Amino acid sequence: MPFPLDAAEDAGPIRLLAHNNTVAAEDLRVRLVLAADYQGRVEVDASEVESVGQAVLQLLIAARADAEQNGMPFEIVNPSRAFVERVTACRLADAFGLATEKDALL
């Protein structure tokens, strides 16, 4: 199931799929570009994520870096436990600005 491409009318967050693999990465790339161009911010809802692959993680990191470089807000909202665990296991929590369970204990 591809991401909807009508980002100019849909000002809501980009919703990641349950399973985010290389095939899903191209649709996500388009959505990220449209959000940046038409919404002036990038908000990604990761609440339904059960798995996320390297290509999608790379796109998200690149999109966040690009947003920051252009003074645009970028946020991962409602990250699922699976998303947080994958990002943490890859040691990318800081790259996404995500708090981990370890951070919560401090």
Side-chain angles (χ1 to χ4, degrees):
M1 177 170 129
F3 295 94
L5 297 178
D6 197 1
E9 292 180 18
D10 177 19
I14 297 167
R15 297 190 192 289
L16 295 180
L17 302 172
H19 301 285
N20 299 275
N21 56 22
T22 303
V23 174
E26 180 59 25
D27 288 331
L28 175 59
R29 185 190 65 77
V30 171
R31 288 293 313 259
L32 290 167
V33 169
L34 289 173
D37 288 349
Y38 294 105
Q39 296 176 14
R41 65 182 170 80
V42 179
E43 187 176 57
V44 179
D45 183 338
S47 62
E48 297 179 20
V49 172
E50 294 175 24
S51 65
V52 59
Q54 176 184 347
V56 170
L57 291 175
Q58 288 175 328
L59 276 174
L60 292 171
I61 289 170
R64 183 171 191 240
D66 187 60
E68 286 180 354
Q69 184 177 24
N70 291 303
M72 186 182 315
F74 181 99
E75 185 178 9
I76 302 287
V77 296
N78 304 317
S80 69
R81 183 173 186 87
F83 183 86
V84 172
E85 287 175 356
R86 173 74 165 143
V87 167
T88 302
C90 293
R91 298 179 185 211
L92 295 172
D94 288 341
F96 285 105
L98 292 177
T100 62
E101 289 179 12
K102 179 181 169 186
D103 295 333
L105 297 174
L106 299 177

